[in-house]
Amino acid sequence: MNEDIFQKNMEFAYIATNYRQYLQDNYTFNDDELDEKYETDMKDDYASITYRMYYVSAEQVDGEISDEAWAKAKEIADLLCAAKTEDEFAELVYENSGDRQSTYEDRDVTRHTYFAYSISANYNEWLVDESREPGDTTAIQVDTGYYVLYYID
């Protein structure tokens, strides 16, 4: 690097630093602009969603899941999907959680509230669907079982 190149780099750095400072000092939003930005670009991502979720695992033997194991997992998933209330869903989870029953003694362990952007891609699309109504349920099949969801709000 010679002195001319060094001087050009320093001038560029000086201009960039001053421009950054100018933007920081002068780039402001009023409340209406912030509200509009939120409504058009961020509302869905920062919506708070409350739901109950339980994972029904299909039993594997030597890394394989038999048709019978899938059928049993689906049967439990369908039973949970038939829940009419949150409490019924939580109770059915407790009753059908097998050797993990002690985990679900606290019925609120299946209740979750998260921002939409932070919810697993496995079931985010279903939860953020605008047609979703409180009490809606679904079972979403994945590689090793079903996520069973009960939408609250």
Side-chain angles (χ1 to χ4, degrees):
M1 177 182 301
N2 64 32
E3 189 175 320
D4 287 339
I5 293 173
F6 179 76
Q7 185 173 350
K8 286 180 184 178
N9 284 339
M10 291 305 295
E11 288 173 5
F12 181 75
Y14 176 77
I15 292 169
T17 299
N18 285 325
Y19 183 66
R20 179 184 50 86
Q21 189 62 51
Y22 170 80
L23 289 177
Q24 285 179 332
D25 294 343
N26 295 297
Y27 201 63
T28 59
F29 296 100
N30 64 38
D31 287 344
D32 290 337
E33 290 170 324
L34 288 173
D35 289 344
E36 180 182 343
K37 177 71 173 169
Y38 175 77
E39 288 296 326
T40 59
D41 297 336
M42 302 169 72
K43 185 177 181 179
D44 291 340
D45 288 343
Y46 289 96
S48 178
I49 298 174
T50 303
Y51 60 97
R52 289 190 179 269
M53 190 271 297
Y54 179 69
Y55 181 72
V56 179
S57 180
E59 185 179 344
Q60 296 184 36
V61 177
D62 298 326
E64 298 292 324
I65 301 174
S66 68
D67 290 344
E68 183 179 303
W70 274 116
K72 183 176 179 183
K74 178 71 170 139
E75 181 181 332
I76 294 170
D78 289 345
L79 177 69
L80 295 175
C81 282
K84 301 293 183 212
T85 66
E86 273 190 78
D87 291 339
E88 183 182 359
F89 183 89
E91 188 61 32
L92 288 169
V93 166
Y94 175 75
E95 291 171 3
N96 290 279
S97 56
D99 60 355
R100 300 180 309 161
Q101 201 168 41
S102 63
T103 302
Y104 298 97
E105 285 177 359
D106 175 4
R107 301 309 195 262
D108 284 336
V109 76
T110 62
R111 194 173 212 265
H112 306 281
T113 300
Y114 294 108
F115 288 123
Y117 73 86
S118 66
I119 296 173
S120 170
N122 287 320
Y123 42 89
N124 180 292
E125 187 176 326
W126 184 84
L127 286 169
V128 300
D129 186 319
E130 290 183 15
S131 68
R132 196 63 44 237
E133 294 285 332
D136 285 354
T137 60
T138 192
I140 299 172
Q141 185 175 351
V142 293
D143 291 343
T144 59
Y146 293 89
Y147 284 104
V148 184
L149 303 164
Y150 181 97
Y151 183 79
I152 299 168
D153 71 11

